Structures are given as structure tokens and as C-alpha cells.
Amino acid sequence: MGSYRVCVCFRRSFKSGEAVVPQEIRELFIKYSEGGAHMTPDQLRRFLAEVQGEVVEEIDELDPQKVVEEVLQKRHHITKFARHNLALDDFHHYLFSPEFNPPIRSQVNQDMTAPLSHYFIYTGHNSYLTGNQLSSVCSDVPIIKALKRGVRVVELDIWPNSTKDDILVLHGRTLTPPVELIKCLRSIKDHAFVASPYPVIITLEDHLKADLQKKAAQMITQTFGDMLFCPIDENLNNIPSPEELKHRIMISTKPPQEYLNSKSVRESSKQLLKSNSKDSDEDEWRKEVTDVVNVNTQNEDDKGDSDTNQLNDDDVSSDDEYESNQESEYKRLIAIHAGKPKGSLKEALKVEEDKVRRLSLSEQALEKAAESLGTDLIRFTQKNFLRIYPKGTRVTSSNYKPMVGWMHGAQMVAFNMQGYGKNLWLMHGMFRSNGGCGYVKKPDFLMNVGPNNEVFNPKDKLQVKKTLKVKIYVGDGWSIDFDKTHFDLYSPPDFYARVGIAGVPADVTMKETKIKEDNWVPTWEEEFTFPLTVPELALLRVEVQEYDMSETDDFAGQTCLPITELKQGIRAVPLYDRKGKQYKSVRLLMRFDFI
């Protein structure tokens, strides 16, 4: 028993015990134990097949006999000579343990032999920043953290130091204290394949002159050695697969001879930091340099829309001394060529038969392109790489909605991994797919071309393809992971859950359970149904909040799970904090069925 002081007169007592076994779980135990007091491994095998939807191969891999022994060992520390069957509480413990009964697959399960451009890739933006975009310290630490999470695309902004004889990584024209390039490269080498064996791509936002580009090339070559993938085919027309590129490092940037004479850009970029640091469309903290380039080059299609062609700074150099046909060590390192579109964006999205390239667009440019060029974007991304990056006003390192990029086939939806918020939770959820390896195979409908050369149109109204039924039974673990006064000084928490879908607009929804008052172990036993038109891109969102009558509700955990990876049946769902770190004990018991 525990207690809370409600006033000076009396204390309010409550019970903070373990989760009560839901009635449905009791009934299933009785059914599959055939009315007995214990469930045998063979009976568990039948439950796994009929309720959990596990196929024979998966059940054999799990080995019900081994599962029973491990559950009993963990709960009772019994010897191998003790009983080998599960009691009701043991069965409930098994179902409620993410360790034994996770909601999604934990292994790579997709075809990894398609060209690299056929995958969504876990992509970071300004990967070296520890915090905000204006003044946070540049470091290799956030790069290491991102790689350990499974991020496969790391962005480095490279600039000359004050004496022009070395290379620094920093967010240019801001107050961010720099870090040496060599330190970042060495950390990438040491941590690139800790979480995944599949290739790491380094996107360079390059602001170097020819002599320092040569030095950068030497640093990269010496650091990575045989790990570095340098294509024989300059245009990488026959792009390798993630499987072929295992344990390889790839460089993506703009070839030197294609840089602009950007003196006018540099002059315009002297309008630098503004004092306002809000994350809004109106509060610009610096003029995007490419707005200056594009304002005089728009054709009739682009007039009045300066960011339709808006590219990232990696498409603009501060060097105007290149010869048009210069060859360099640096150029030979580039595996995926970035390029600036000439003329309208529609022209830039034309697919070239003999070339694979990367195009970068801001989140606003993508949204505007999606209005009229949706199918052009999809045709482009069937072969080429499209990278989307946050608008310049996101100075607190917030993020945008990733689904617009994904539904148009963008492989590199670049996020500020050091930030937090609901959009980053979606990114984490998407890349829990495929064993968390950082590469998720794009759905077939984004890659298919019809008999009349038609492709998927995101604006088409689609029929419901699949319906997901979700039941949320109970939650537990807060009393272990949180102080007893964390949510309320005077009483146990009042938890409610929010369950919904992130995906294409037609599928987006969010529903809530009832509030369970004064209980550390809330039992909801509520069911929700979600019709899905594009289940291949849908993510299940789950949040738990603690209701507060007088103030903002308190956050109590979240997760985001890819629908295509959900295991059917009754599953233990671990929850994560605001920054995406898994709680040690907090989890939900849920059931998933496709009807």
C-alpha cells in the first residue's frame, strides 16, 4: 500500500500493485490449457499459431519449450528440475514482456538486393549539431548517437578554418563553435556499423576551395581506406544494392566543376542572423542563399515562387575559381552526385537514362511541388535520389511532417535527430521497420509503372485496402520508472491513452480511451478500428497522457510502429520518452488484428 497527503486532515490510500490479468487473457489461458492449471509448451505452441498468427518457422525459431523455461527462470529462478509449464501469472508475464513478446519483428526481413534508390534511408540533417541551429556546439557526439540509432545518412557542413589551411565542420554563417572534420570522420568510421551493416552515406555541404577539397579527399581516403565506395561509373548508372554495399562508406556532394560563381550569393548572404528564433514560416533567421540565385532564373512556371527550386546550401559553393573540366581526387570520391536544377523544377525532375543523381529540396519546395508535380516527383525518385531538408526557420532543431516526402518516394527525408517532438517520433517509427537497419524498401506502388507509363498519383482517392483493429488492455511500469509525485503531488495519476494512425491524409486519425483515475496500473480494455487506404506507409501512433484538470496534461510515454511490421495477436508494447529513449519498465498490453 502507498499513500498521498490530500490535506492536513487525512491521507488518501491507494494500491500500486501489479497489473491485473485481463479477463480475455484468463479465457484464452483456460482455452489453451484445456481447463488445466498450467499451460504446456505444446499448448503454448497452439496459442502462438492460432492467436498470435506465428507461422511454423517462427514458432520453431522461438521454441516454446525454451520460452517456457526462460519465463520461469526469470520469474522464479527455478532450476531445470522444477516444473516446465506456465501458470496463469506466468502466461500473463510472458505476454506482457517486450523481451519475450515484442509488437514488431526485430530482424531484417525485406529484400536488400534492389538498387539503393529503391529504399527509404534513415537520414540526418546537420548531424554535427548538439542543439539549436544558431549557437549550439558542433561535435562528433550527436553523429555517434545517430549512428548508434541506425541513421545511415550523415550530413557534414565543411568550411575552411580562419587560416585557410584546415577544414572545420560547422553550421556556416551562424555562431556554432566548430569541430574538426578529421574528428567527425574518425567517429563515423568507428561507429558506422554498430547498429547496422548497411552503407553509410556522408552528404557534404561543401564550402571549400580546390586546395582544401584536395585535403578533404586525402582525409576521407586515409580515414576510410577500403571501406570507401568509389564508383567506376562516374554517373553511377548501375547503382548497387544495400546488400552489395554492406560495410561501405559513400560520399554524396556536388562535383567541383559544377559549382556556381556565387559572388552575388555571398554578398546577399551578409544579411545574417535575426534576433527572432521562433519556429514559424514568418520568422526567418537568414535568407536562404538559393532564393538569391533563383529569383533571376525563374521561368513563367516559377514566377512569384522563389523556393520552388530551393536547394540546400550543398548546391552552392563559396568558390568561383573552378575550371569547367577540372578533375580531382575529390571528384573521384563522389558516389552519388548532387546537382542544381537548371530552369524550372519540372525540368530538373526529368529522368536521364544514363545518370543517377541527387536533388535536394526544402520542405516548403516539396509541398509546393507536390501540388502540381506529384507524379513527376515519383518518376524521378524511382531512379534518382530526392533529399528533403528542414526550412531555415527551424532554429530550435524542430522537424516537419515526413509523410509528404515518403508518399512521393523521397529516399532521404532529412531530420534534426538531436531535436524531439511528434514528427521525430514518426521518423523513429518508420525506421523501426526492417530490423532497424536504416533501410526500408519502398512500397511497390511507388516503384511500379503501368502499361500506359502511368505511376502512382498521391492525389488519387483510394479504396480501403486493409482494416486494423487495435485493443488496448492495460498499462504498467510508471510506478517503477517515475517518482510517486511526478504526475501529481496528492494522488495517483489519471492516465488515458491516445491511439491513431499517421499516414496519407485519408488514413490520419487519433482516438482516445477513457481516463482511468487514481491508478498507476490503468486498465482500459478499449478497442478501436482503423480503415487504411495505404497501409504500406501507415504508422500506428500510441501516446499515454496523465489528465490534469487545471494545467496541461502530463506526457507519460509514446511509441510509433510501422503497420506493415505489426505482429498480430496480443503483444507487449514498450513506450519511449519525448526524445525517443525507451523506458525501462513502462509498457502497454495491446492486441492487433487485421480484418
Side-chain angles (χ1 to χ4, degrees):
M1 294 284 286
S3 64
Y4 284 91
R5 185 184 297 277
V6 177
C7 67
V8 293
C9 305
F10 65 92
R11 289 174 180 266
R12 183 176 182 181
S13 296
F14 71 97
K15 202 175 236 183
S16 59
E18 294 184 0
V20 176
V21 181
Q23 181 61 30
E24 188 175 325
I25 306 302
R26 292 176 179 274
E27 292 172 358
L28 286 168
F29 180 82
I30 291 169
K31 177 180 178 180
Y32 285 93
S33 67
E34 300 173 15
H38 295 91
M39 182 182 288
T40 67
D42 284 342
Q43 291 168 337
L44 177 62
R45 175 183 290 271
R46 186 169 155 240
F47 168 81
L48 292 173
E50 295 179 9
V51 178
Q52 303 296 79
E54 307 280 11
V55 298
V56 174
E57 294 80 8
E58 291 173 330
I59 295 174
D60 288 342
E61 188 176 337
L62 282 170
D63 187 355
Q65 179 71 50
K66 187 177 179 183
V67 168
V68 169
E69 290 176 1
E70 288 180 355
V71 171
L72 294 175
Q73 178 65 36
K74 186 174 181 181
R75 277 182 56 76
H76 307 293
H77 308 290
I78 60 173
T79 68
K80 63 182 180 180
F81 301 105
R83 65 178 172 86
H84 298 290
N85 303 318
L86 299 177
L88 173 61
D89 285 346
D90 300 323
F91 179 62
H92 182 229
H93 176 85
Y94 161 72
L95 290 177
F96 212 172
S97 299
E99 172 191 353
F100 294 120
N101 188 34
I104 60 174
R105 306 181 188 101
S106 58
Q107 294 85 27
V108 172
N109 54 70
Q110 297 174 2
D111 174 20
M112 301 302 287
T113 62
L116 207 66
S117 57
H118 290 209
Y119 298 82
F120 297 128
I121 310 174
Y122 208 175
T123 301
H125 173 255
N126 290 349
S127 305
Y128 49 86
L129 289 179
T130 55
N132 71 68
Q133 302 285 309
L134 291 180
S135 60
S136 67
V137 174
C138 300
S139 168
D140 63 331
V141 172
I143 296 171
I144 294 169
K145 286 182 179 178
L147 291 169
K148 285 182 175 179
R149 184 179 274 279
V151 170
R152 298 290 86 191
V153 182
V154 172
E155 183 186 27
L156 301 179
D157 244 323
I158 51 178
W159 294 80
N161 65 355
S162 58
T163 53
K164 312 292 184 186
D165 62 353
D166 203 358
I167 306 166
L168 301 176
V169 173
L170 71 150
H171 196 198
R173 304 181 294 274
T174 68
L175 304 176
T176 53
V179 60
E180 292 180 344
L181 172 62
I182 189 64
K183 186 173 185 180
C184 294
L185 296 178
R186 287 170 178 164
S187 291
I188 291 171
K189 179 185 178 182
D190 291 343
H191 298 90
F193 306 110
V194 170
S196 168
Y198 295 103
V200 167
I201 301 168
I202 303 174
T203 57
L204 296 177
E205 189 176 306
D206 171 12
H207 304 272
L208 306 177
K209 292 189 177 182
D211 59 331
L212 284 183
Q213 284 191 336
K214 182 177 181 181
K215 183 167 185 172
Q218 292 169 347
M219 282 186 188
I220 291 168
T221 303
Q222 290 169 7
T223 302
F224 297 120
D226 292 341
M227 295 168 71
L228 200 62
F229 174 77
C230 300
I232 299 172
D233 175 5
E234 181 184 305
N235 292 321
L236 202 63
N237 190 29
N238 298 312
I239 191 165
S241 68
E243 188 66 31
E244 293 171 292
L245 291 166
K246 272 185 172 179
H247 299 104
R248 304 299 292 273
I249 304 287
M250 304 174 76
I251 303 297
S252 179
T253 188
K254 194 175 177 92
Q257 76 273 23
E258 296 180 24
Y259 281 105
L260 300 171
N261 181 329
S262 55
K263 188 173 182 180
S264 62
V265 175
R266 294 198 304 278
E267 291 300 316
S268 301
S269 295
K270 289 178 182 176
Q271 311 170 37
L272 297 180
L273 311 177
K274 292 187 178 181
S275 59
N276 201 327
S277 64
K278 294 180 182 177
D279 282 353
S280 72
D281 289 321
E282 294 76 29
D283 302 318
E284 292 191 356
W285 61 271
R286 67 178 173 93
K287 182 73 172 173
E288 292 286 348
V289 293
T290 46
D291 285 358
V292 183
V293 176
N294 291 325
V295 72
N296 295 320
T297 60
Q298 294 165 355
N299 63 16
E300 289 298 315
D301 294 333
D302 301 326
K303 280 184 179 176
D305 188 9
S306 61
D307 68 355
T308 298
N309 284 356
Q310 189 178 359
L311 300 187
N312 201 358
D313 289 344
D314 62 0
D315 295 314
V316 180
S317 170
S318 60
D319 188 11
D320 54 11
E321 297 178 354
Y322 289 106
E323 297 177 7
S324 60
N325 294 316
Q326 177 184 356
E327 292 292 331
S328 66
E329 295 175 51
Y330 184 77
K331 182 181 177 183
R332 285 190 289 273
L333 297 182
I334 302 172
I336 302 172
H337 287 209
K340 179 188 181 301
K342 296 178 176 67
S344 70
L345 182 55
K346 185 173 180 65
E347 291 173 348
L349 290 170
K350 287 182 178 176
V351 178
E352 301 175 58
E353 288 187 12
D354 61 345
K355 184 181 289 188
V356 171
R357 55 196 170 90
R358 172 171 69 83
L359 179 66
S360 291
L361 295 175
S362 71
E363 58 175 288
Q364 309 106 302
L366 173 70
E367 287 176 2
K368 291 179 181 179
E371 291 175 11
S372 56
L373 299 172
T375 54
D376 295 87
L377 287 165
I378 287 172
R379 286 184 199 280
F380 181 83
T381 57
Q382 288 182 339
K383 179 179 180 180
N384 300 286
F385 292 89
L386 181 60
R387 176 178 172 272
I388 312 303
Y389 62 92
K391 61 189 176 183
T393 53
R394 294 190 180 278
V395 296
T396 62
S397 295
S398 64
N399 288 297
Y400 52 98
K401 294 179 180 178
M403 198 59 66
V404 180
W406 290 331
M407 64 191 287
H408 287 89
Q411 295 88 348
M412 300 180 183
V413 177
F415 261 38
N416 294 307
M417 296 298 171
Q418 79 278 22
Y420 59 92
K422 292 181 181 179
N423 290 324
L424 188 58
W425 302 345
L426 300 184
M427 182 64 65
H428 292 163
M430 169 62 88
F431 287 98
R432 289 192 177 106
S433 297
N434 205 21
C437 75
Y439 286 83
V440 175
K441 188 82 159 48
K442 291 202 282 186
D444 289 343
F445 68 80
L446 286 175
M447 302 305 302
N448 291 343
V449 178
N452 299 315
N453 201 34
E454 71 271 18
V455 295
F456 173 71
N457 187 342
K459 291 189 173 183
D460 287 346
K461 188 172 182 180
L462 303 172
Q463 299 296 315
V464 171
K465 188 182 288 187
K466 187 180 288 188
T467 298
L468 172 66
K469 190 165 69 173
V470 175
K471 185 166 186 177
I472 179 167
Y473 295 101
V474 63
D476 199 3
W478 289 280
S479 62
I480 301 172
D481 291 350
F482 292 83
D483 293 335
K484 73 174 185 177
T485 57
H486 177 86
F487 296 106
D488 199 316
L489 288 173
Y490 305 112
S491 67
D494 306 320
F495 289 128
Y496 68 95
R498 303 182 72 234
V499 185
I501 301 294
V504 301
D507 294 346
V508 173
T509 187
M510 209 71 184
K511 301 178 182 181
E512 292 183 1
T513 66
K514 295 181 176 65
I515 298 167
K516 292 297 177 180
E517 296 182 349
D518 299 336
N519 203 323
W520 282 100
V521 189
T523 299
W524 294 289
E525 300 211 37
E526 293 190 43
E527 193 169 271
F528 305 98
T529 300
F530 302 104
L532 303 170
T533 61
V534 186
E536 298 91 340
L537 291 179
L539 300 166
L540 179 69
R541 285 185 56 200
V542 182
E543 294 177 26
V544 177
Q545 301 280 347
E546 197 273 334
Y547 175 72
D548 194 315
M549 186 180 299
S550 59
E551 299 177 10
T552 304
D553 293 351
D554 294 318
F555 174 83
Q558 59 82 22
T559 192
C560 194
L561 300 169
I563 298 292
T564 55
E565 298 272 332
L566 278 181
K567 294 179 148 202
Q568 79 167 57
I570 299 163
R571 303 290 173 177
V573 178
L575 296 187
Y576 300 77
D577 67 14
R578 289 184 183 275
K579 291 193 174 183
K581 182 179 178 182
Q582 185 175 331
Y583 291 123
K584 290 182 180 178
S585 310
V586 178
R587 75 261 189 222
L588 304 174
L589 187 64
M590 302 181 71
R591 180 166 183 162
F592 309 116
D593 291 294
F594 291 100
I595 55 177

